[in-house]
Amino acid sequence: QLQASGGGMAQPGGSLRLSCVASGFHFSNYAIAWFRQAPGKEREGVAYITGPGSTINYAESVKGRFTISRHNARNTVYLQMNSLKPDDTGTYYCARPSANQLAGNRLSAGRYAFWGQGTQVTVSS
């Protein structure tokens, strides 16, 4: 099970930190990714981190602004979002693949089997 939280409203240029708490599996063995979906748009991969945290990938649209991290003792993955833009608005989901980690396109939603419920992020002045 994956439980995302931390969403809310922010002004452009502001910050938010999302959390994803996992249960029911050996957390440190699995990669986790964050996705987002805006109304009328496809779900978009945002960031990916392997179980040990040794490999991290970001979508080009968030590079330099978002940071993914994890605390395996707390079964939690974080997404620190800085310099927020209105285009960052959407519902944010954390997800886990069936395999421990992925090669190739790690930010493709179809490669993830387990999803959290989503947390809403709204960036507006």
Side-chain angles (χ1 to χ4, degrees), residues 18 33-39 41-47 59-63 65-66 79 81-95 107 109 115 118-121 123:
L18 306 183
W34 285 98
F35 290 80
R36 66 186 180 187
Q37 189 165 20
K41 294 189 176 180
E42 291 189 358
R43 194 164 294 190
E44 172 191 21
V46 174
E60 286 295 326
S61 58
V62 306
K63 275 184 181 178
R65 300 189 298 120
F66 289 12
L79 186 68
M81 306 187 294
N82 298 330
S83 302
L84 284 164
K85 304 176 181 180
D87 282 351
D88 295 319
T89 294
T91 302
Y92 283 69
Y93 302 88
C94 53
L107 296 179
W115 293 83
T119 185
Q120 178 67 34
V121 171
V123 183

Side-chain angles (χ1 to χ4, degrees), residues 96-118:
R96 200 209 89 181
S98 294
N100 294 76
Q101 59 183 0
L102 299 176
N105 184 359
R106 298 181 173 115
L107 296 179
S108 173
R111 304 186 72 186
Y112 288 78
F114 304 98
W115 293 83
Q117 87 288 2

Side-chain angles (χ1 to χ4, degrees), residues 10 14 23 26 52 56 102 110 118 120:
S23 61
H26 195 160
I56 288 174
L102 299 176
Q120 178 67 34

Side-chain angles (χ1 to χ4, degrees), residues 56-73:
I56 288 174
N57 298 105
Y58 295 101
E60 286 295 326
S61 58
V62 306
K63 275 184 181 178
R65 300 189 298 120
F66 289 12
T67 302
I68 189 170
S69 62
R70 65 191 296 157
H71 194 304
N72 283 342

Side-chain angles (χ1 to χ4, degrees), residues 12-36:
S15 298
L16 287 171
R17 188 174 85 153
L18 306 183
S19 298
C20 174
V21 179
S23 61
F25 61 95
H26 195 160
F27 180 72
S28 62
N29 281 359
Y30 287 89
I32 300 290
W34 285 98
F35 290 80
R36 66 186 180 187

